[in-house]
Amino acid sequence: MACISEDPDYAATTPPVTPLSLRPDRMGDEAVDLLIAVINARSGVDRHRLVQPVLLPRRSTRRAVRRRNGTP
């Protein structure tokens, strides 16, 4: 199960949920930078920005840690 959320409580839900963060903090930083560029009439500023989302996999989708003898 997956969702788009910034809520850290999803790490402790039952069943576990895989949240996808759209990074609103980074989006805000980029928006402010673009707004300041417009206010200051800066030219040559790239108006297209890409903020990479962050996937936080739930426990059941993480790879098992293998022991030295090769067993999970």
Side-chain angles (χ1 to χ4, degrees), residues 1-3 9-19 56-62:
M1 188 179 328
C3 71
D9 290 338
Y10 279 107
T13 62
T14 302
V17 175
T18 296
L56 304 166
R58 62 184 182 231
R59 288 183 305 269
S60 63
T61 60
R62 293 185 186 150

Side-chain angles (χ1 to χ4, degrees), residues 18-63:
T18 296
L20 177 68
S21 171
L22 297 180
R23 312 264 320 265
D25 57 326
R26 291 288 303 134
M27 279 196 230
D29 291 345
E30 296 296 332
V32 168
D33 185 53
L34 289 170
L35 181 59
I36 291 171
V38 168
I39 291 169
N40 292 332
R42 286 190 306 194
S43 61
V45 175
D46 186 5
R47 292 178 29 187
H48 300 280
R49 307 288 174 98
L50 179 63
V51 175
Q52 293 287 14
V54 175
L55 182 67
L56 304 166
R58 62 184 182 231
R59 288 183 305 269
S60 63
T61 60
R62 293 185 186 150
R63 288 185 178 181

